[in-house]
Amino acid sequence: MAKFSTILFDLDGTITDPKSGITKSVAYALDYLKIPYPSLDSLCVFIGPPLRDSFSDYGVKESDLGLAIEKYREYYIRENGIFDLKIYPGFADMLKRLKQADKKIILATCKTRIFAQDILEHFSLARYFDFVSGSELDGTRITKGEVIAYALEQTKTPVSSDVIMVGDRKHDIIGAKENHLQVASILYGYGTRAEFEAHHTDFILETVKDLEQFLLQE
């Protein structure tokens, strides 16, 4: 029996490099709120965590968080920031091979679910996923732990050693551990080895190829 039968993937920073679309959308919101930032590159900290947490950490007042998210989404949709991203090289081929190996593949993202679904469909990846779990526009399922729990519940996936979460930030580790799952952290995204080790990830992998070999091992 394969070591992993069910794989939950994060989206931003794991499947996609969304830097351009996300940083421009964040900049639009911060400009509206007249909050300075040194550069678009400095806004990469928004890739991965829940938007509300990121805006709060960046100094947006509690009373302005809703407006910040509204303005972010305004640009994200109007200016097609949603599709201003790249699929990491080799990832689509890996998903195809995982599917051929009869793996159950689930998306578990803090991104709004309908946006995540649109991205998967736009880049012809939706066919590989058995289920998409994300946050909702009304604020339901904000944390990665909640997103993972919902995915497991809806797909009737019992927690076991052959279920694993794959992500690129500490939030993926925290959410996986809250649900008693193993987690593999990847270094080609936006997290660091120090971040992963500080939060006691189970595995650290450097490239998409390394990840594929790890997930397909028998």
Side-chain angles (χ1 to χ4, degrees):
M1 181 178 180
K3 184 172 183 180
F4 302 113
S5 63
T6 301
I7 305 158
L8 289 80
F9 285 108
D10 172 49
L11 180 61
D12 293 340
T14 299
I15 299 174
T16 71
D17 182 353
K19 177 180 176 180
S20 183
I22 286 182
T23 56
K24 289 174 183 176
S25 300
V26 172
Y28 178 81
L30 294 177
D31 286 342
Y32 184 87
L33 293 171
K34 295 182 170 54
I35 295 175
Y37 52 91
S39 66
L40 283 177
D41 281 350
S42 72
L43 303 179
C44 288
V45 294
F46 281 79
I47 299 173
L51 268 180
R52 179 172 289 270
D53 291 352
S54 293
F55 276 122
S56 179
D57 290 344
Y58 214 80
V60 175
K61 295 185 296 186
E62 179 73 26
S63 58
D64 286 335
L65 288 176
L67 179 59
I69 293 171
E70 177 186 327
K71 288 299 175 183
Y72 171 95
R73 289 175 176 163
E74 182 179 303
Y75 182 95
Y76 194 65
I77 297 170
R78 187 188 67 202
E79 302 298 332
N80 240 14
I82 183 174
F83 301 132
D84 188 5
L85 56 79
K86 298 175 182 177
I87 306 299
Y88 284 113
F91 211 98
D93 289 337
M94 179 184 68
L95 288 174
K96 180 180 180 180
R97 285 188 277 272
L98 289 174
K99 208 64 196 166
Q100 290 172 340
D102 293 324
K103 308 292 186 181
K104 182 191 294 184
I105 304 176
I106 298 170
L107 190 73
T109 175
C110 286
K111 185 183 288 295
T112 304
R113 180 184 53 79
I114 58 171
F115 295 160
Q117 186 71 53
D118 286 347
I119 289 169
L120 293 181
E121 291 175 358
H122 182 83
F123 289 96
S124 301
L125 299 179
R127 73 188 83 172
Y128 302 120
F129 287 84
D130 296 279
F131 189 76
V132 174
S133 180
S135 65
E136 300 294 344
L137 288 170
D138 64 3
T140 305
R141 291 190 300 279
I142 293 176
T143 71
K144 181 55 68 82
E146 292 170 335
V147 168
I148 293 172
Y150 182 74
L152 297 175
E153 175 190 341
Q154 292 299 307
T155 58
K156 295 180 171 57
T157 302
V159 172
S160 69
S161 61
D162 63 351
V163 181
I164 192 165
M165 175 73 206
V166 179
D168 74 313
R169 295 300 308 276
K170 65 181 181 182
H171 307 84
D172 301 301
I173 303 170
I174 294 168
K177 297 300 184 183
E178 287 176 357
N179 287 279
H180 310 290
L181 294 183
Q182 295 187 90
V183 56
S185 300
I186 49 91
L187 286 168
Y188 60 79
Y190 286 87
T192 65
R193 184 177 294 274
E195 177 181 342
F196 301 154
E197 290 176 348
H199 288 83
H200 309 292
T201 191
D202 297 294
F203 309 97
I204 299 177
L205 301 157
E206 293 193 0
T207 67
V208 173
K209 189 63 179 177
D210 292 338
L211 177 62
E212 178 179 338
Q213 292 174 347
F214 173 75
L215 294 175
L216 284 173
Q217 64 183 303
E218 295 294 328

